[in-house]
Amino acid sequence: MELLEMAKESAAVGEVRGRGLMLGIEFVGPGREPDPEAALRLLEACRERGLLVGKGGLRANTIRVSPPLIVTREAAEEAAGILEEALAEVGSREKVG
């Protein structure tokens, strides 16, 4: 499944936005309130897999993805795979816990 499709289908993701190579993934709780803890879990899951992403947003519930302009296709595909794995991990925790 494509990363953006997976993010849009996740109950933990409120919105995916961006332009060009810059992407923001906003995390929300069951009542659609900001969920900074879910964003932190995704950030840590990415870091454990070797991908560094940023966290931001007014309520610290948005993950920022901003690869360098010289990123290769292979590196971008690897990063997308890591994000998919991390999102699946965070999404499964949201449903269970």
Side-chain angles (χ1 to χ4, degrees), residues 29-93:
R32 308 287 296 168
E33 72 279 353
D35 190 349
E37 292 83 17
L40 182 60
R41 285 193 300 274
L42 186 99
L43 184 140
E44 288 299 321
C46 286
R47 185 187 58 76
E48 290 169 2
R49 292 168 171 82
L51 178 65
L52 298 178
V53 295
K55 187 173 70 153
L58 294 175
R59 295 177 178 86
N61 67 318
T62 301
I63 292 296
R64 296 178 181 159
V65 180
S66 55
L69 294 176
I70 59 169
V71 68
T72 64
R73 177 178 294 276
E74 294 79 20
E77 288 173 354
E78 182 180 355
I82 291 171
L83 275 167
E84 283 181 314
E85 288 176 16
L87 186 57
E89 180 181 318
V90 170
S92 67
R93 286 185 190 170

